[in-house]
Amino acid sequence: MTSFENVSVIKQANIYFDGKVTSRTVLFHDGSRKTLGIMLPGEYEFGTAAAEVMEMLAGEMDVLLPGQDAWRTYKRGETFDVPANSKFKLKVMTVVDYCCSYKE
Amino acid sequence: MTSFENVSVIKQANIYFDGKVTSRTVLFHDGSRKTLGIMLPGEYEFGTAAAEVMEMLAGEMDVLLPGQDAWRTYKRGETFDVPANSKFKLKVMTVVDYCCSYKE
């Protein structure tokens, strides 16, 4: 199993949409930050501050990225980039396990 | 915010009950192990292998511990012990954020 070594984990969860989207924050020695999260089936809109790379660890969802007019399906093993200070929409079909890396 | 320092985190989530219960595994240098998890409202039964200490980080649930005939409510800041090789039942009323420490 892949793991992140010698990191810090913030104990308290980040909880959104009545718990249908939750994550834990992982802090790295180089100052970088990731969240490991779960999204239950549903439709969501998120806003970014920093740019992000979303990596799909499990599940399937449709994504509408900013500036695009077509939804695209992402599955386990795939990644997509989200620009800073933008909004994107998700339709989660099956429980999504993800890793979000912040570029800042 | 409280955090666990110099730990390893397994990237992949543990997913139970169609994603209504999920957790991440945190490994410590002394060989000990905790999971940080989320439980959405619902009723669940769990079995233990190792004995556990459950710490409530957020939310509220009723718990029926093994060998007891009365449910008891646990809230943020409270903890309870679960013996090894036992079963316990939960009724989650509001989204629960928890930290489970394994004694092994």
Side-chain angles (χ1 to χ4, degrees), chain A residues 58-73:
Chain A
E60 183 176 338
M61 63 186 182
D62 289 340
V63 181
L64 183 63
L65 290 169
Q68 310 227 336
D69 52 11
W71 291 77
R72 203 193 125 178
T73 303

Side-chain angles (χ1 to χ4, degrees), chain A residues 1-15 18-20 22-24 26-27 29 36-38 40-41 55 57-58 76 95-99, chain B residues 1-15 18-20 22-24 26-27 29 36-38 40-41 55 57-58 76 95-99:
Chain A
M1 281 177 297
T2 305
S3 62
F4 297 126
E5 309 287 335
N6 294 308
V7 295
S8 298
V9 181
I10 295 174
K11 202 172 172 187
Q12 196 90 17
N14 311 305
I15 301 178
D18 294 323
K20 292 181 75 178
T22 59
S23 70
R24 305 276 168 182
V26 181
L27 304 169
H29 282 303
L36 290 168
I38 294 285
L40 269 64
E55 176 189 359
L57 303 177
R76 179 186 178 134
V95 180
V96 165
D97 183 11
Y98 70 86
C99 178
Chain B
M1 280 176 296
T2 305
S3 62
F4 297 126
E5 309 286 336
N6 295 308
V7 295
S8 298
V9 181
I10 296 174
K11 203 173 172 187
Q12 196 89 18
N14 312 305
I15 302 178
D18 295 323
K20 293 181 76 178
T22 59
S23 69
R24 305 276 169 182
V26 181
L27 304 169
H29 281 303
L36 291 168
I38 294 285
L40 269 64
E55 177 189 359
L57 304 177
R76 179 186 178 136
V95 180
V96 164
D97 182 11
Y98 70 87
C99 178

